[in-house]
Amino acid sequence: TPLDARWGPQIELAQLADQLAFLTPKHYSDYATRLEQIPLLIDQHIQQMRFGLNAGRMPPRVAMAGSVEQCLVLGDANFTGDPASSPMYAPFLDIDQADPAAVRARQAIADGITPAFARLAAFLRDDYIPRCRDTIGASASKDGLPAYEHSLRVNTTMPFTAQQIHDLGLSEVARIRA
């Protein structure tokens, strides 16, 4: 389950340039190289989601709401004809458009990124989301309570069970109200 409507390549890759410094020609070249690798990354995500489908490990359908539309923003066919209008091209707008890195970036967007995100959107819409589960609780997932408790340990770094955390929460609310 590598993505949902709050996180995944359709979110993090669209924001990648905002997290990088573009101070030297090498920075632009490195970013163009990253852009060229995005289709492979998207295809790897699709493959991992297929593994999840086959294993019965699916997220709640409600968590996926909006993810297709997010992918379609980056998979907009208009970027094929005008890759410089893609949000992923933004860093290159400030440099010479004949710069080799800018040329590579436009090609990566037009020939690779746009079709990859369109593929991801179609996969989500046609294959993945229809098979997502209607239940929302982690305990209703294939791995149930053990997976939920593992997630609690990872995210809280505390060796408590779900019931212990629930009980602690109730006691803290009672304490605060008192």
Side-chain angles (χ1 to χ4, degrees):
T1 59
L3 68 89
D4 58 33
R6 296 183 64 206
W7 193 251
Q10 79 283 9
I11 305 291
E12 61 188 272
L13 294 175
Q15 298 173 359
L16 179 61
D18 295 334
Q19 300 170 25
L20 301 172
F22 292 91
L23 305 173
T24 69
K26 182 167 178 7
H27 293 149
Y28 289 96
S29 179
D30 289 349
Y31 183 63
T33 299
R34 287 178 177 185
L35 293 179
E36 291 165 341
Q37 296 302 311
I38 287 175
L40 174 62
L41 180 67
I42 297 301
D43 290 339
Q44 289 171 338
H45 273 72
I46 292 171
Q47 184 61 42
Q48 289 299 317
M49 288 185 285
R50 286 191 198 286
F51 290 148
L53 283 170
N54 293 334
R57 289 186 172 85
M58 304 301 301
R61 185 173 291 119
V62 68
M64 300 301 294
S67 59
V68 171
E69 294 78 8
Q70 292 167 340
C71 291
L72 289 173
V73 167
L74 297 172
D76 187 328
N78 291 325
F79 297 147
T80 301
D82 183 15
S85 64
S86 167
M88 299 180 114
Y89 188 77
F92 298 98
L93 294 173
D94 297 331
I95 66 171
D96 181 352
Q97 295 303 290
D99 183 280
V103 172
R104 288 175 49 217
R106 288 193 303 273
Q107 183 173 359
I109 291 166
D111 299 340
I113 294 171
T114 300
F117 274 103
R119 275 194 312 279
L120 179 57
F123 170 74
L124 291 173
R125 181 190 62 235
D126 301 336
D127 298 329
Y128 195 72
I129 294 173
R131 293 174 60 189
C132 286
R133 56 190 169 89
D134 291 321
T135 58
I136 58 171
S139 62
S141 70
K142 178 175 175 117
D143 299 310
L145 188 58
Y148 180 65
E149 290 190 335
H150 171 74
S151 181
L152 287 175
R153 285 189 304 278
V154 167
N155 289 292
T156 67
T157 69
M158 303 300 292
F160 300 141
T161 67
Q163 188 61 52
Q164 288 171 319
I165 290 175
H166 180 73
D167 292 343
L168 176 62
L170 292 176
S171 70
E172 283 299 298
V173 168
R175 182 187 65 79
I176 291 167
R177 286 187 175 156

